[in-house]
Amino acid sequence: MSLNTVISELRRSSRFMSNVTAWEMLPTRPARLAPFPRELDPWVVNRLQERGIAQLYTHQRLAVDLALAGQHIVIVTPTASGKTLCYNIPVLQAMRTSPQATALYLFPTKALAQDQLVEMRRLLGTQAAAEANIYDGDTPQAMRKSVRLSARLLITNPDMLHTGILPHHTRWHRFFSHLRFVVIDELHAYRGVFGSHLANVLRRLKRICRFYGSSPQFMCSSATIANPLELAEALVEERLELIDDNGAPQGEKHFILYNPPVVDRSLGIRRSALLEAQDLAAQFLHHDVQTI
């Protein structure tokens, strides 16, 4: 059974529809594609094509163009729209065209860092995979020196940057001297006091980079929030270009506002939303439709 079958059944159910206060449908939207920039190194293009990527979405192409032109950027598009490639491609280009160029990736969680390491090592291939490394609290002491000496793509988190890297910047002089890009993923996580702390860590990072003669570009990505550009510029203290026109394909989406039925009208008590969700989940499972 398909999702459309379940939706049709729900529309025909008088009990379900009597509790629906609004139902909106967004139609399918095809992908908007663009070719790779001509200035991309053929090796980078080949690596992407080997991964089955023949073209870029329009927001990816715009992000790559701006990054290659030296602009700081912030990308805000939906989940699974390919935001990662928006910053991975410029980093790959820099690593390919400049043998000493380095990049720093900041993630709020170790799980995201591990995912990114796997992806970048796949893109780099076996010859350059060792140049991408994670440096965090789980990195064995025996490996830390080799990471400092060889890493060109360093993946870490704000806490480790603050306590384990910046205070020991003299040991990282090679890395900071050639730092081209700083990637801040999950930008929306850095708000409030946590965001204020990160802003100060980034000030310190920029000051150390100036000391070693580098001036990195910042590339940020975020889930959809109301003020991504304002947040990014407050954290980075640079002027950024906002990329929020999603070119990725979109399937049909239904947004249903459902109000559980009244069980005691005199007291205004409605049936438990959990029990209603349980009944709906059973209907989806009966038709082998995945739910979350």
Side-chain angles (χ1 to χ4, degrees):
M1 291 291 184
S2 69
L3 178 59
N4 287 334
T5 302
V6 182
I7 290 174
S8 297
E9 287 187 0
L10 292 176
R11 285 194 183 277
R12 292 194 299 268
S13 169
S14 58
R15 181 191 180 280
F16 178 82
M17 292 303 297
S18 65
N19 300 315
V20 171
T21 60
W23 187 324
E24 296 290 336
M25 188 271 284
L26 298 181
T28 299
R29 188 184 67 191
R32 289 179 288 142
L33 301 171
F36 294 114
R38 290 184 179 180
E39 59 266 40
L40 272 189
D41 187 281
W43 179 89
V44 176
V45 174
N46 288 338
R47 295 302 302 172
L48 294 170
Q49 289 175 338
E50 288 173 5
R51 300 295 308 280
I53 302 168
Q55 295 186 84
L56 299 177
Y57 298 137
T58 50
H59 68 276
Q60 293 174 328
R61 172 61 190 268
L62 177 59
V64 172
D65 285 342
L66 289 172
L68 295 181
Q71 297 288 328
H72 305 286
I73 60 173
V74 53
I75 308 113
V76 184
T77 55
T79 302
S81 60
K83 288 192 289 289
T84 302
L85 274 183
C86 293
Y87 52 77
N88 277 349
I89 292 176
V91 169
L92 285 171
Q93 175 76 359
M95 293 177 67
R96 181 66 180 175
T97 57
S98 178
Q100 293 182 309
T102 61
L104 175 67
Y105 283 30
L106 295 178
F107 292 93
T109 67
K110 292 180 180 179
L112 288 169
Q114 291 289 343
D115 289 344
Q116 185 60 236
L117 179 65
V118 171
E119 177 62 22
M120 281 303 292
R121 284 184 169 174
R122 285 174 180 167
L123 286 172
L124 286 167
T126 54
Q127 292 183 342
E131 296 179 338
N133 288 278
I134 288 178
Y135 194 87
D136 59 23
D138 294 335
T139 304
Q141 289 291 336
M143 289 182 56
R144 295 191 178 192
K145 183 177 180 180
S146 64
V147 171
R148 288 196 300 268
L149 294 176
S150 63
R152 297 184 63 200
L153 172 59
L154 188 70
I155 303 172
T156 188
N157 54 68
D159 298 305
M160 192 64 177
L161 179 64
H162 173 57
T163 61
I165 297 176
L166 296 183
H168 311 288
H169 59 85
T170 55
R171 299 180 181 179
W172 294 87
H173 62 88
R174 175 201 61 86
F175 184 84
F176 287 125
S177 296
H178 304 285
L179 187 58
R180 287 280 303 277
F181 291 106
V182 176
V183 172
I184 305 174
D185 201 8
E186 303 293 310
L187 180 75
H188 53 276
Y190 304 113
R191 59 187 187 275
V193 174
F194 188 23
S196 298
H197 289 322
L198 177 62
N200 282 317
V201 171
L202 294 177
R203 289 190 186 111
R204 188 180 183 193
L205 169 65
K206 290 165 68 176
R207 187 170 66 249
I208 288 172
C209 287
R210 286 195 299 270
F211 178 78
Y212 288 107
S214 64
S215 180
Q217 284 175 243
F218 287 86
M219 297 189 291
C220 309
S221 76
S222 172
T224 304
I225 55 176
N227 59 339
L229 185 61
E230 179 186 359
L231 175 61
E233 291 185 339
L235 286 171
V236 174
E237 296 184 327
E238 301 283 355
R239 182 181 178 276
L240 286 88
E241 295 290 336
L242 175 64
I243 301 161
D244 60 357
D245 185 11
N246 179 31
Q250 178 179 284
E252 183 178 278
K253 293 183 178 181
H254 292 261
F255 292 88
I256 305 170
L257 298 185
Y258 184 88
N259 209 9
V262 175
V263 293
D264 190 326
R265 195 165 297 277
S266 62
L267 296 176
I269 297 175
R270 293 180 177 273
R271 186 170 188 249
S272 163
L274 181 61
L275 293 177
E276 287 291 293
Q278 177 181 296
D279 291 346
L280 283 170
Q283 189 167 354
F284 279 86
L285 291 171
H286 177 71
H287 292 290
D288 293 326
V289 176
Q290 293 185 8
T291 64
I292 183 169

